Amino acid sequence: MHERKPFVGGNWKMNTNRTTSADLTRAVVDGLARVEGVEVAVYPPFPYLLAVRSILRDRSSSIRMGAQNAYHRPDGAYTGEISIEMLKDCGATTVLVGHSERRHVIGEQDELINAKVRAVLEAGLECVLCVGETIEEREAGHTDPVNQRQVRAGLADVPGDWVNRLVLAYEPVWAIGTGKTATPDDAQDVHRKLRQLVSGLYGPEIAARTRIIYGGSVKPSNAAELFAQPDIDGGLIGGASLKPEDFVGIVKAAATT
Ligand code: 13P
């Protein structure tokens, strides 16, 4: 049995428009109206944050809203970047940091990711730190060292009393958007080792409280089996979070495990 409340995030990535982001928000709110026992967050694109926030507020929804990225500097000449205070101002309470697309498409490195993790946590927001190995790294037998390096680097100089606002997301790069999902056993193995690492860094109590969620082609049909694993505390959902009935089905799977 999990003592940790499951967490399911819907990462909309660079999808939706003004109309469909609002429609999706309303459909998810309606679909989850009677679902309890899961913390749910949606991560819309920046331009739609305020509108999504206003729908969630109008409907008194407990669904939280977050940002897919943030810049760690408080203000200044950083053309095109978005500060954490701006996100707070728009109602975001959670931020994704180090998503595989930021690492591998945009080119973010461990040092920048660490600066972002520290800035998000220091600002009092929740940080979802994403880690995961590529297919080449997995086939070379480097799954564990890669994930451990990304977590260690991401959490460098993060004090233990900030870690209650941290969620770790294990998202194997080869499983993202590919339809290939890690087997529940393989995912559990990585999650267990990540929890051991958190225990080594911050002690067993903090490790036992820290949620570690899985991402990569999660669907209603495979969610329950993944979430039933002892160290898998929910999921970060990409493609399926754009389909309200699928996202609702996944959240319900988390509610019953
Ligand atoms: P998919 O669910 O589309 O594989 O994406 C996972 C992901 O990257 C969530 O952040």
Side-chain angles (χ1 to χ4, degrees):
M1 282 300 289
H2 298 189
E3 53 192 84
R4 298 171 290 273
K5 187 169 188 179
F7 179 98
V8 177
N11 175 9
W12 297 357
K13 307 193 180 182
M14 200 172 75
N15 294 299
T16 71
N17 60 30
R18 201 144 56 101
T19 305
T20 57
S21 59
D23 290 347
L24 179 54
T25 307
R26 288 190 202 97
V28 168
V29 169
D30 291 346
L32 293 177
R34 278 178 299 280
V35 180
E36 288 177 356
V38 185
E39 203 173 303
V40 178
V42 291
Y43 297 85
F46 291 132
Y48 310 130
L49 285 172
L50 279 174
V52 167
R53 177 68 184 154
S54 123
I55 294 168
L56 295 174
R57 274 225 175 123
D58 287 352
R59 303 198 168 206
S60 308
S61 174
S62 61
I63 298 174
R64 297 167 56 209
M65 187 194 72
Q68 299 172 19
N69 181 35
Y71 200 57
H72 57 291
R73 303 282 185 200
D75 51 41
Y78 302 104
T79 301
E81 294 297 336
I82 312 267
S83 77
I84 294 158
E85 286 305 318
M86 291 172 188
L87 295 171
K88 276 171 94 167
D89 204 17
C90 295
T93 59
T94 167
V95 181
L96 304 182
V97 176
H99 189 277
S100 101
E101 288 138 23
R102 304 283 329 160
R103 292 177 190 265
H104 299 292
V105 182
I106 313 292
E108 289 191 9
Q109 304 284 325
D110 283 333
E111 202 180 332
L112 175 63
I113 291 166
N114 173 243
K116 293 184 176 194
V117 169
R118 283 186 283 130
V120 168
L121 293 174
E122 189 168 18
L125 297 190
E126 176 186 82
C127 176
V128 180
L129 170 61
C130 307
V131 301
E133 80 285 356
T134 63
I135 191 64
E136 293 79 17
E137 290 163 339
R138 168 161 282 250
E139 286 173 352
H142 296 156
T143 296
D144 293 332
V146 166
N147 286 302
Q148 308 251 329
R149 189 207 78 228
Q150 290 180 357
V151 171
R152 277 182 192 282
L155 296 181
D157 297 321
V158 170
D161 54 356
W162 292 358
V163 179
N164 60 348
R165 294 192 297 281
L166 175 81
V167 175
L168 286 180
Y170 168 55
E171 299 201 288
V173 179
W174 49 270
I176 296 178
T178 58
K180 291 184 198 148
T181 316
T183 66
D185 285 349
D186 283 352
Q188 162 59 21
D189 186 57
V190 174
H191 283 234
R192 182 178 56 79
K193 289 171 179 158
L194 291 180
R195 196 174 307 285
Q196 276 171 357
L197 175 62
V198 175
S199 180
L201 294 171
Y202 296 105
E205 271 182 36
I206 288 180
R209 283 202 305 266
T210 301
R211 286 169 303 179
I212 308 178
I213 62 176
Y214 170 81
S217 299
V218 178
K219 309 180 259 284
S221 57
N222 60 23
E225 210 186 346
L226 286 160
F227 299 163
Q229 301 301 312
D231 288 295
I232 301 183
D233 306 313
L236 190 55
I237 319 303
S241 73
L242 299 170
K243 299 180 198 141
E245 60 288 353
D246 284 5
F247 189 64
V248 166
I250 292 167
V251 173
K252 285 182 176 167
T256 52
T257 52

